[in-house]
Amino acid sequence: MEVMTDSLSISFAESENQQMIAQMVRDFGSREIKPFMMEWDESQEFPIDMFKKMGSLGLMGVLVPEQYGGAGFGYLEYVTAIAELSKIDGSIGLSMAAHNSLCTNHILQFGTEEQKQKYLPKLATAEWIGAWGLTEPNTGSDAGNMRTVAVRDGDHYVINGAKNFITHGKSGNVAVVIVRTGEVGDSRGMTAFVIEKGTPGFSAGKKENKLGMRASETAELIFSDCRIHKSQMLGQEGEGFIQAMKVLDGGRISIAALSLGIAQGAFEAALQYSKERHQFNKPISTFQGIAFKLADMATKVEAAKLLTYRAADMKNKGLNVNKESAMAKLYASEIAVEIANEGVQIFGGYGYTKDFPAEKYYRDAKLCTIGEGTSEIQKLVISRAILK
């Protein structure tokens, strides 16, 4: 099936590559993730060794060209990989997405050839884990008011401040951080730097104790007179915020895929349970109250899938996806929360226990409406685009 929209042609048949990746992720997940995921969830362990295994499969450098050690795939394959991972465990999907979309992709898009040669092979194979820092304790969506400052000192910059809610803030080997080099509120007053772990003055702070996504590490990054050579700058001084917005356009597609995977996982678990659970001598799926819930869930999953793959297809074609990625992220994240909630309801009392999968989807889903721009920020992006 193929649909034309705004001179954009989208085919809904999964490619051979997508089918291959989906099967590979399912096989890997059943072997390397499913048996341990509740243990990781309880202890908040970030399973680095498992991510290194994912690196050997090409899942940590999906979008990175083969010349830099990556898989060399496009956004359709990337979305497929994240969604399949997130059907199993959202926190693994989240970490894979943050590593690929934010840190690695920022270097791929804006790094010099020398920077790409230096960092991408290590990141694409997960020899190194990547982090990306924009958010600060007092500035989330209001990035223009960031307080982490880099002051020029000859061929170096001296950075002071802190970033928080950073995926892989503690375990990351390298971080791309956006800091202020100009005036507060100036969109051209921010600059991106690549900073390696072990750099004097650069350290990790508090690790967050979270509701969900507990196997995906979230921590502070702290800068105390951290000296960075100008060669670690990505692009030119003052381009950091503009770069970050472009990176987030792709990042929103990955959060849409993450949301889609969680929604699919929650729906499939509820569907299966509704066929097995008997009340009044018949499966609860035969009761209209449950059957209609399942119908709504299935429809919303399909709608989220179409929005997500449309955005991915446009991104592959090099088109502007500012509005479409925000729409996909907004809708997919909101329905993930809704479907996970209904999943718990269908499981009944068992849905509230950790012996069944429903409660984890429920806890994991909520982050999707917050991370990489809240639902309210997505509506701001969409409304600005349609009111231009």
Side-chain angles (χ1 to χ4, degrees), residues 222-242:
I222 297 168
F223 303 91
S224 179
D225 292 333
C226 178
R227 285 178 69 81
I228 299 297
H229 193 265
K230 64 181 183 183
S231 62
Q232 296 302 106
M233 187 189 294
L234 286 165
Q236 301 300 311
E237 184 175 312
E239 291 179 351
F241 183 74
I242 293 100

Side-chain angles (χ1 to χ4, degrees), residues 177-242:
V177 294
I178 294 89
V179 298
R180 192 158 58 78
T181 47
E183 295 303 310
V184 172
D186 179 7
S187 65
R188 294 200 169 269
M190 290 168 266
T191 305
F193 291 91
V194 188
I195 307 178
E196 293 178 27
K197 192 177 192 173
T199 301
F202 176 45
S203 61
K206 175 191 168 197
K207 179 177 170 176
E208 302 296 340
N209 185 8
K210 299 179 299 185
L211 169 72
M213 303 288 199
R214 288 170 60 84
S216 177
E217 178 187 277
T218 307
E220 287 179 313
L221 295 178
I222 297 168
F223 303 91
S224 179
D225 292 333
C226 178
R227 285 178 69 81
I228 299 297
H229 193 265
K230 64 181 183 183
S231 62
Q232 296 302 106
M233 187 189 294
L234 286 165
Q236 301 300 311
E237 184 175 312
E239 291 179 351
F241 183 74
I242 293 100

Side-chain angles (χ1 to χ4, degrees), residues 20-21 24-25 28-29 31-32 47-62 66 68-73 85 96 99-100 120-129:
M20 177 194 76
I21 287 168
M24 178 183 76
V25 171
F28 177 82
R31 194 174 65 247
E32 302 288 349
I48 291 181
D49 290 343
M50 191 278 300
F51 280 101
K52 291 192 184 297
K53 289 177 187 173
M54 278 172 54
S56 68
L57 295 176
L59 292 170
M60 299 299 272
V62 181
E66 289 179 41
Y68 302 117
F73 287 127
L85 270 177
M96 181 264 203
H99 174 94
N100 275 277
L120 292 179
K122 287 186 168 78
L123 288 164
T125 56
E127 179 188 338
W128 279 17
I129 300 292

Side-chain angles (χ1 to χ4, degrees), residues 16-74:
E16 201 175 314
N17 280 339
Q18 284 174 273
Q19 290 170 354
M20 177 194 76
I21 287 168
Q23 191 56 54
M24 178 183 76
V25 171
R26 284 195 287 267
D27 293 344
F28 177 82
S30 64
R31 194 174 65 247
E32 302 288 349
I33 300 172
K34 256 188 184 162
F36 314 106
M37 67 184 196
M38 290 312 292
E39 190 183 311
W40 297 335
D41 185 78
E42 289 285 329
S43 65
Q44 291 207 92
E45 179 189 343
F46 176 58
I48 291 181
D49 290 343
M50 191 278 300
F51 280 101
K52 291 192 184 297
K53 289 177 187 173
M54 278 172 54
S56 68
L57 295 176
L59 292 170
M60 299 299 272
V62 181
L63 301 167
V64 176
E66 289 179 41
Q67 70 192 84
Y68 302 117
F73 287 127

Side-chain angles (χ1 to χ4, degrees), residues 51 89-96 212-216 258 360 364:
F51 280 101
D89 185 347
S91 56
I92 304 305
L94 172 64
S95 271
M96 181 264 203
M213 303 288 199
R214 288 170 60 84
S216 177
L258 171 68
K360 187 175 184 299
D364 287 348

Side-chain angles (χ1 to χ4, degrees), residues 292-314:
F292 278 17
K293 280 186 193 295
L294 293 166
D296 280 339
M297 291 159 84
T299 303
K300 285 169 181 171
V301 165
E302 286 302 311
K305 191 173 185 179
L306 293 178
L307 279 170
T308 303
Y309 278 93
R310 178 183 70 154
D313 187 62
M314 288 177 67

Side-chain angles (χ1 to χ4, degrees), residues 305-355:
K305 191 173 185 179
L306 293 178
L307 279 170
T308 303
Y309 278 93
R310 178 183 70 154
D313 187 62
M314 288 177 67
K315 184 78 175 163
N316 261 356
K317 293 184 166 90
L319 300 169
N320 185 332
V321 294
N322 181 252
K323 179 185 73 175
E324 287 76 12
S325 66
M327 284 178 165
K329 198 268 190 195
L330 170 66
Y331 186 77
S333 65
E334 290 292 341
I335 65 103
V337 172
E338 209 178 303
I339 288 170
N341 181 44
E342 288 288 37
V344 173
Q345 195 70 17
I346 289 169
F347 272 86
Y350 292 112
Y352 209 67
T353 72
K354 289 183 184 286
D355 297 326

Side-chain angles (χ1 to χ4, degrees), residues 279-298:
Q279 292 287 275
F280 307 102
N281 301 315
K282 52 185 178 180
I284 62 171
S285 59
T286 62
F287 296 112
Q288 196 178 78
I290 301 296
F292 278 17
K293 280 186 193 295
L294 293 166
D296 280 339
M297 291 159 84

